[in-house]
Amino acid sequence: MTDNRDAILRLWGRQLYERQGEPLAWAEAVLEATGCPPAAVTAAMSGRLDALADSSSDHAGLLFRTVAKLAANLRGHGQYDADVGTRIGPQALRLGELEPPLAGPLGNALGHPPDGPTSLVTVHAAELSGSRSIRVRAIDALLEWAELGHPQARAALSEVASDHRTQDVTVWTKALNRIALFGDASVEPGLLRALADTGHRGVRWSALACAELGLRRAVPLITALLEHPDPMVREGACEALGLFEERAAVPALTARLNDETTWVRSRAAQALGHIGGDRALAVLWQAMMERRNPKAGHLASAIAAFGPPVVDDLIALTTDPDPDLRALACRALGSTADDRALPALERLAAHDLARTTLGGLVATAATQGLRTAHRMRARTAAT
């Protein structure tokens, strides 16, 4: 139990707190197991805390006082917090180590601590059928163990991901947010069922999980989600299709550039930038030219994702009569961090005092573009 000892003892203490059907009887059994005189146990259980001074040794006394105060609280309002339980477990274990004759009675009263990570994971997996707060805590713990590479934790998480119908939506989405830790082809049928269940509140995370795992059979279902009434689902579908780099989705994503929700429009543009290709670039360029709106920075950023092939066209756009388009070109050029962009941005930053329809100066947009370019170049040089 040396490895992960702290986590194991915390779990044990929490179990001591949560599993007692008759907590007063349990507290009395622990008091008796400390080896303190029966009269002290009787006094403590009757609420006479003056008996706490009669403990037989320092470590036994510490455990005795902790449990006696617990018993008093239980008699007073019937409750005690997890922190008390967390202290009792380590104190009892330490006492058993220092006074071996007490180890057996303490073990009988308290139950023995988990013997290692596998015992911990088994408990957490069982807790997925507990109350909502316990389920949420258990899924967080299983994700931590999966990150450490524990196979049983990964198996438990795969089971969660395989059937959305039996899971609390919070538990489901927490698992799917970390699908890369444990997901493989075995979860595909369950994720596809979840995608088809468009009324499920976790359908957005199902789409993203499929994209994270590269489950291409999900693409038609995810594309259909672009028409979902919930903008969060539409936004997630855009992101997923971008992760897939699904060129067949370009027409459907193009329609979302006109979405009623700003952040769906932005995510659709970003997805088109991820997908790449002539058709996606043409769509983004046309949308930016038609809108001539400095608020369409998401279009400029998506065009910048195409890199060197678009730099010359963006430089040419810095001479357009429309200040809104010049400002958008500055934003895009800054995001390319291309050497060719710097002279054009410097020229506009120094001389272009025209105002956009939002009232900002083109020179300000150029200055911001320069800062972005220099920041990106410095980051690249550092790596």
Side-chain angles (χ1 to χ4, degrees):
M1 198 178 69
T2 302
D3 293 339
N4 307 299
R5 177 188 178 98
D6 290 345
I8 291 167
L9 291 181
R10 283 197 301 273
L11 173 69
W12 188 34
R14 202 181 78 217
Q15 288 177 304
L16 299 180
Y17 162 62
E18 291 173 345
R19 72 185 178 192
Q20 307 310 322
E22 297 181 22
L24 276 171
W26 172 77
E28 185 173 10
V30 177
L31 290 172
E32 292 171 349
T34 63
C36 294
V41 174
T42 301
M45 289 303 297
S46 67
R48 287 175 47 209
L49 297 185
D50 57 321
L52 301 185
D54 299 330
S55 54
S56 58
S57 73
D58 289 342
H59 290 283
L62 180 61
L63 178 60
F64 189 93
R65 288 191 293 274
T66 302
V67 178
K69 290 176 181 177
L70 162 65
N73 288 340
L74 289 170
R75 286 188 178 282
H77 53 72
Q79 299 176 3
Y80 66 104
D81 59 31
D83 184 52
V84 171
T86 303
R87 291 198 302 273
I88 291 171
Q91 286 174 11
L93 187 65
R94 180 65 173 157
L95 177 57
E97 291 171 346
L98 294 173
E99 300 189 33
L102 296 180
L106 286 168
N108 292 333
L110 291 165
H112 295 281
D115 58 8
T118 297
S119 296
L120 268 174
V121 171
T122 299
V123 171
H124 292 315
E127 288 177 335
L128 291 174
S129 59
S131 68
R132 185 178 185 278
S133 61
I134 291 175
R135 291 197 304 272
V136 171
R137 191 169 57 210
I139 202 71
D140 286 339
L142 286 169
L143 287 166
E144 289 178 11
W145 286 111
E147 192 166 13
L148 293 171
H150 198 284
Q152 189 177 349
R154 289 176 172 174
L157 291 165
S158 292
E159 187 173 344
V160 169
S162 294
D163 192 353
H164 72 289
R165 298 165 297 187
T166 61
Q167 302 298 332
D168 177 279
V169 69
T170 302
V171 170
W172 165 261
T173 54
K174 276 179 171 286
L176 265 60
N177 275 338
R178 306 291 301 281
I179 193 76
L181 286 177
F182 62 88
D184 54 28
S186 68
V187 301
E188 182 177 37
L191 290 179
L192 292 177
R193 281 195 302 271
L195 273 176
D197 186 0
T198 57
H200 184 247
R201 288 192 295 134
V203 69
R204 175 186 186 275
W205 288 268
S206 306
L208 293 171
C210 287
E212 183 75 21
L213 296 179
L215 304 178
R216 300 202 70 86
R217 289 174 58 197
V219 167
L221 291 168
I222 295 173
T223 303
L225 292 179
L226 291 174
E227 303 295 334
H228 196 280
D230 185 342
M232 282 190 64
V233 176
R234 297 196 303 275
E235 185 262 351
C238 290
E239 183 178 355
L241 291 168
L243 290 172
F244 274 119
E245 298 184 3
E246 179 54 51
R247 296 200 171 191
V250 168
L253 287 167
T254 299
R256 293 278 65 83
L257 293 177
N258 295 314
D259 196 276
E260 62 188 22
T261 304
T262 301
W263 33 275
V264 176
R265 296 196 298 269
S266 178
R267 186 68 74 175
Q270 186 180 59
L272 289 166
H274 279 305
I275 291 169
D278 292 343
R279 184 163 58 157
L281 177 58
V283 163
L284 291 166
W285 194 270
Q286 180 180 358
M288 186 174 71
M289 297 298 291
E290 287 178 349
R291 291 177 190 183
R292 298 174 176 266
N293 183 348
K295 287 186 177 181
H298 58 284
L299 296 172
S301 297
I303 289 171
F306 288 79
V310 300
V311 170
D312 287 338
D313 287 336
L314 288 170
I315 291 173
L317 193 60
T318 63
T319 63
D320 191 276
D322 188 335
D324 288 343
L325 288 178
R326 297 201 301 277
L328 287 172
C330 290
R331 175 163 183 167
L333 284 170
S335 296
T336 67
D338 192 288
D339 288 343
R340 292 170 291 167
L342 300 182
L345 289 172
E346 290 166 353
R347 173 177 53 81
L348 293 177
H351 303 294
D352 197 333
L353 301 181
R355 293 192 177 274
T356 69
T357 54
L358 293 179
L361 296 177
V362 175
T364 302
T367 300
Q368 291 170 343
L370 280 170
R371 289 174 182 166
T372 299
H374 290 313
R375 185 169 59 249
M376 292 177 63
R377 289 161 68 87
R379 190 182 304 129
T380 301
T383 58

